[in-house]
Amino acid sequence: MKYPPFLGSEIQPPSPEHALFHVLPVPWERSLSYGGGAALGPSAILAASWQLELWDGHGVPAAGGIYTHAPVDVSGEPAAVIDRIAARVAEILALGKIPVVLGGEHTVTVGVIQGYLRAGHEGFGVVQLDAHADLRDRYEGDPLSHACAMRRVVEAGVPLFQLGVRALCEEEVAARTVYGVGFLDADTLVPQGIERVPGDGGPPRLYFSPQNRHCVQCIRRDLKSNPSLFAHVIRRFIPVPSPFQDGSRLPASRSCPALAQSSGDLLAGADG
């Protein structure tokens, strides 16, 4: 499988030390419940990025430099894969760079968060764009299932805010209360349009933004006419772009260009 450099059609990849953004492909697919193909996501998103323009309407985020790493080895037991992801993310952070992690199934998120914690980062939170809450303690007996990724995050003491969720179980509703999870679900966010994220406390210092294609579709459609919500979220956090996951249930011609564009959007937010 090929992993071309992100935006390689437009820019000459710099050396790692001269790139602000470090793209890390993680083609991991282990616990999907329906369909398949998540492992193909990183390669397809990187290929689709070659169709993007450098100019984003305000500037050229790629001017900060984009370096694309070799993919993480995803063979072996889940705990070992998560440890490899964490190690690679921590290495990028140790250089003072911004990791942009491309998955892969949602359990990739667990490794990324462990990488931030391993690198000594504190006071950051997660903004999750997803159609599902992923807050189960176990799914089909597996604590590292894709359906448990956010539960492992909040158990690590990392604050979580969810955008666009449209399906969750009673256990996940209860977990939101126990762990103080904030949320704007799809039934509110999409039809009504929300311009501000509620909350009276200070925001976490960093944000982390896993996505899947279900939520990308509804959020991007709504934000075309009302971009102020996402702009408000971005302004409240210093952005740390990260996993774009689970385009597995849409043809690459439909999901990957949207995810590649979303990747570019977050690079612009981080650069600004």
Side-chain angles (χ1 to χ4, degrees):
M1 192 175 301
K2 295 182 179 180
Y3 295 89
F6 191 90
L7 267 176
S9 59
E10 299 291 327
I11 60 173
Q12 184 68 30
S15 60
E17 60 271 19
H18 291 108
L20 175 61
F21 303 107
H22 282 233
V23 177
L24 181 63
V26 186
W28 197 21
E29 179 176 344
R30 184 189 67 90
S31 67
L32 295 184
S33 300
Y34 180 77
L40 305 176
S43 177
I45 293 170
L46 290 171
S49 76
W50 285 46
Q51 307 306 315
L52 301 180
E53 299 288 351
L54 286 177
W55 180 257
D56 72 345
H58 304 281
V60 180
I66 303 174
Y67 179 80
T68 303
H69 289 255
V72 173
D73 176 8
V74 295
S75 62
E77 293 298 314
V81 177
I82 289 170
D83 185 68
R84 287 184 212 121
I85 298 168
R88 296 282 292 275
V89 169
E91 289 171 2
I92 293 169
L93 292 169
L95 294 173
K97 308 302 183 180
I98 297 176
V100 182
V101 184
L102 304 179
E105 69 164 68
H106 292 192
T107 313
V108 170
T109 302
V110 179
V112 177
I113 291 299
Q114 287 188 11
Y116 272 88
L117 296 174
R118 186 179 298 185
H121 283 265
E122 298 178 349
F124 69 92
V126 172
V127 177
Q128 177 192 6
L129 280 72
D130 201 336
H132 303 98
D134 293 350
L135 284 168
R136 298 171 187 259
D137 182 49
R138 281 170 171 73
Y139 187 66
E140 298 179 340
D142 183 3
L144 294 177
S145 165
H146 68 94
C148 308
M150 291 299 114
R151 182 66 168 263
R152 304 289 83 89
V153 168
V154 295
E155 286 177 345
V158 177
L160 172 64
F161 196 98
Q162 299 180 318
L163 290 171
V165 172
R166 60 166 173 76
L168 69 169
C169 67
E170 290 181 320
E171 177 190 359
E172 292 171 305
V173 173
R176 279 178 164 180
T177 300
V178 170
Y179 293 100
V181 176
F183 58 90
L184 286 172
D185 287 341
D187 59 354
T188 299
L189 179 63
V190 175
Q192 297 183 20
I194 304 296
E195 295 190 358
R196 296 190 68 80
V197 175
D200 52 11
R205 189 170 55 85
L206 304 173
Y207 98 91
F208 165 96
S209 174
Q211 295 191 30
N212 77 4
R213 64 93 178 169
H214 304 280
C215 192
V216 168
Q217 283 184 298
C218 68
I219 294 292
R220 285 183 63 83
R221 182 176 60 245
D222 190 52
L223 292 178
K224 284 181 180 178
S225 59
N226 182 15
S228 55
L229 168 65
F230 206 44
H232 177 66
V233 173
I234 295 261
R235 290 191 186 103
R236 293 183 66 209
F237 296 80
I238 300 172
V240 181
S242 20
F244 289 83
Q245 300 160 345
D246 194 12
S248 60
R249 292 179 287 279
L250 272 184
S253 61
R254 292 178 58 195
S255 63
C256 291
L259 290 172
Q261 182 63 60
S262 296
S263 302
D265 291 346
L266 281 184
L267 296 186
D271 191 48

